[in-house]
Amino acid sequence: TAHYFNLSMESLSRNWCALPPIDGRFQCEKWDEMDIQLIDDSYNANPASFEQSLLSFCDISAGRRKIVV
């Protein structure tokens, strides 16, 4: 779609990063004093998006204990 409308990936990336976060969409919060990284991805509940969320979560927290609620 971007190619069809002659949009550059760099411009799209910059604009995407400037958008405000959506509640429950892979929002990361770090609690350094307790060595905890909280990821809220509660927005999507379908099986495919949940699976992708778990895969991303495992990549981000490699080598650390994980809890999924």
Side-chain angles (χ1 to χ4, degrees):
T1 304
H3 180 72
Y4 178 82
F5 289 107
N6 295 317
L7 301 171
S8 75
M9 294 308 286
E10 294 82 17
S11 175
L12 288 172
S13 180
R14 271 194 314 278
N15 289 316
W16 181 266
C17 290
L19 292 173
I22 298 171
D23 288 341
R25 286 263 187 176
F26 214 80
Q27 291 183 313
C28 300
E29 189 175 322
K30 280 189 156 189
W31 299 340
D32 290 329
E33 64 279 356
M34 297 187 324
D35 193 30
I36 292 175
Q37 182 172 8
L38 175 72
I39 301 173
D40 178 3
D41 197 32
S42 57
Y43 183 88
N44 286 321
N46 71 65
S49 66
F50 186 70
E51 180 182 19
Q52 286 304 309
S53 177
L54 289 176
L55 293 172
S56 296
F57 181 58
C58 288
D59 287 343
I60 288 171
S61 61
R64 299 180 69 191
R65 187 172 59 158
K66 300 158 195 59
I67 301 172
V68 176
V69 180

